Amino acid sequence: MTQELKAGLPLAEQIIAGHLAGEDGPVEPGRLVTVRPDRVYVQDGNAPTIAKLYEQHGFTTVFDPERVSFVFDHSVLVADVSMADRMKEAEVFAARLGVDVRSRGEGISHVLAAELGWFALGTLVLGSDSHTCVGGAFGSLGLGMGASDITAAMVTGTTWLKVPETVEVRLTGTPERGARARDVLLTLLNEQGEEPFLYRSVEFNGPWPRSLSGDASASLASLGVELGAKCVFVPDEAGTIPTGATAGLREISFDISGLQPVVSLPHLPAKIAPLSDAAGTPIDYVFIGSCTNSRLEDLAEAAATVDGHRVRFGTQLVVTPGSLRVYRQAMRAGYIDTLLSAGAVITPPGCGACVGTQGPLPARGDNVLSTMNRNFRGRMGNPEANIYLSSPVVAAITALLGAIPAVEDLV
């Protein structure tokens, strides 16, 4: 259900209060509550685990088939027999339950959740993937949960949680022209660490986050879990997501004036270096995609960057749109043709190479530059590859140069 959000009150607490399952008493940080989610969605990777939990406990139904969705996004092009068997098991399970199914090639669950209106203002959404926090870019309380909690929510239509404390992150100033939303968040993580954000609801505030496009806001929100946050909220220019100005909130001020583009070094998102320090690092494989940077704005920027140029021989560029809608929009705008003409490989919509359950896999010793959210060792399916993270514009220039660019290359 949509819910009007009021200024001056923590957003997570407002949404939780609007979804209490017959409980009384104040919604305040630290209290354990039972809530009724508006939507529960399952990604294909853990659907077989949930199927086993159903079998073990004798469950056969869901609380509402129209509000439970299975999204096949992590393994769209399966090249492993065991994984293919798991996908078949997930399909059979979804059919048996009679739930809403989003098939392979439709897109990433979190991108679809926005497109289909699951992430509506004031909704409470559970997803079996940690990056469900993307919902905060749309005023939705998106909570990633494990298989056991998701199973219970699917059966009962309820879940329990501890009301998080809220921290306001007030961003002042404006970053450099080449910096993007992800550069701001990863710099914040690098300088502050996770401790200020652990199991907290983070409300970004300030003119800069309020000026972000919807795609950039989603990119910022998707990285909230890397902060260690329970959820995040990003304000919008219209004021329908009224973050900040809440008396008594813990506040962190962070000056982003002149902030430069950054690159996350192997094997930790928070281990960043200014672009100028990483410049010249040879790169074998560039991946543009994932729930952090696979939207239309990201593909447009990548296409504009490579237009009229060719990907350097010895470096592969793989681009995976976040959804079928994004793919079609990019085709109509000419972005896909531009990327193909430059030598990019375009894959069907989905998570793509991010989690390593499908190709293209990096070779041993490869240096990879990716726009995804995590670069833990083995993340893309090969623990002997070195994964760097950056924005799409940096990634696209890297594909042309065969190496991480300098700041002046972005102009």
Side-chain angles (χ1 to χ4, degrees):
M1 64 178 180
T2 58
Q3 177 183 343
E4 182 180 355
L5 301 177
K6 299 178 181 179
L9 296 171
L11 300 184
E13 293 179 28
Q14 291 186 61
I15 296 173
I16 290 171
H19 290 79
L20 290 177
E23 297 190 12
D24 296 320
V27 172
E28 54 190 17
R31 181 185 171 193
L32 297 177
V33 297
T34 302
V35 293
R36 299 188 187 280
D38 295 292
R39 168 80 49 178
V40 179
Y41 63 81
V42 178
Q43 51 99 334
D44 52 358
N46 47 32
T49 302
I50 293 172
K52 287 181 173 59
L53 289 169
Y54 257 71
E55 182 179 359
Q56 289 172 10
H57 297 283
F59 301 143
T60 58
T61 61
V62 298
F63 75 99
D64 184 345
E66 294 184 357
R67 292 197 287 148
V68 176
S69 299
F70 276 45
V71 183
F72 288 80
D73 58 358
H74 279 56
S75 300
V76 176
L77 298 175
V78 185
D80 177 88
V81 174
S82 296
M83 185 58 67
D85 289 342
R86 284 178 61 83
M87 292 304 98
K88 180 63 70 175
E89 182 182 349
E91 289 171 352
V92 171
F93 179 47
R96 188 166 67 242
L97 292 176
V99 297
D100 173 60
V101 174
R102 302 293 157 173
S103 302
R104 303 182 210 187
E106 288 192 49
I108 303 170
S109 60
H110 316 307
V111 178
L112 291 175
E115 292 179 353
L116 296 170
W118 301 347
F119 285 153
L121 188 69
T123 56
L124 195 160
V125 178
L126 309 183
S128 68
D129 185 282
S130 60
H131 293 100
T132 309
C133 56
V134 172
F138 307 92
S140 173
L141 178 55
L143 302 176
M145 292 186 172
S148 296
D149 285 322
I150 290 294
T151 299
M154 288 170 60
V155 174
T156 68
T158 63
T159 191
W160 69 273
L161 57 88
K162 182 172 73 172
V163 179
E165 179 187 355
T166 295
V167 58
E168 177 188 350
V169 176
R170 181 175 293 275
L171 300 173
T172 59
T174 304
E176 286 294 310
R177 187 170 64 88
R180 300 294 181 264
R182 62 177 299 137
D183 297 312
V184 170
L185 188 137
L186 291 175
T187 303
L188 173 68
L189 173 60
N190 175 265
E191 295 192 14
Q192 297 285 332
E194 291 184 346
E195 194 282 327
F197 312 109
L198 283 175
Y199 204 92
R200 290 184 170 94
S201 173
V202 177
E203 294 188 8
F204 290 99
N205 193 24
W208 178 80
R210 196 171 292 111
S211 72
L212 293 176
S213 67
D215 286 356
S217 293
S219 178
L220 182 71
S222 77
L223 290 162
V225 69
E226 317 313 330
L227 286 176
K230 179 69 172 176
C231 55
V232 297
F233 292 96
V234 185
D236 61 342
E237 193 171 11
T240 56
I241 309 174
T243 67
T246 302
L249 279 191
R250 180 177 180 180
E251 182 181 314
I252 295 174
S253 293
F254 191 64
D255 186 3
I256 60 174
S257 300
L259 185 142
Q260 298 284 326
V262 299
V263 172
S264 293
L265 308 177
H267 298 278
L268 196 66
K271 186 182 177 183
I272 63 169
L275 187 61
S276 56
D277 289 356
T281 303
I283 297 295
D284 306 285
Y285 177 176
V286 173
F287 172 59
I288 297 177
S290 89
C291 59
T292 300
N293 283 116
S294 63
R295 295 169 180 82
L296 188 64
E297 184 175 276
D298 304 313
L299 301 192
E301 188 164 51
T305 301
V306 304
D307 191 13
H309 303 281
R310 288 287 298 179
V311 172
R312 185 180 179 89
F313 178 76
T315 300
Q316 66 170 330
L317 170 60
V318 177
V319 179
T320 302
S323 73
L324 190 57
R325 179 185 297 181
V326 169
Y327 199 167
R328 285 172 168 159
Q329 290 174 330
M331 288 178 65
R332 287 194 292 268
Y335 305 148
I336 297 299
D337 187 64
T338 298
L339 290 163
L340 289 171
S341 297
V345 174
I346 312 296
T347 75
C351 297
C354 177
V355 75
T357 57
Q358 60 183 37
L361 300 178
R364 293 183 178 91
D366 268 2
N367 285 342
V368 180
L369 187 71
S370 171
T371 67
M372 60 200 192
N373 35 57
R374 291 173 180 163
N375 60 338
F376 305 143
R377 188 184 297 276
R379 175 71 182 180
M380 295 178 73
N382 186 350
E384 296 182 51
N386 304 302
I387 304 173
Y388 298 75
L389 303 178
S390 79
S391 68
V393 64
V394 171
I397 295 176
T398 296
L400 301 180
L401 300 177
I404 294 175
V407 175
E408 50 266 29
D409 294 322
L410 303 184
V411 178

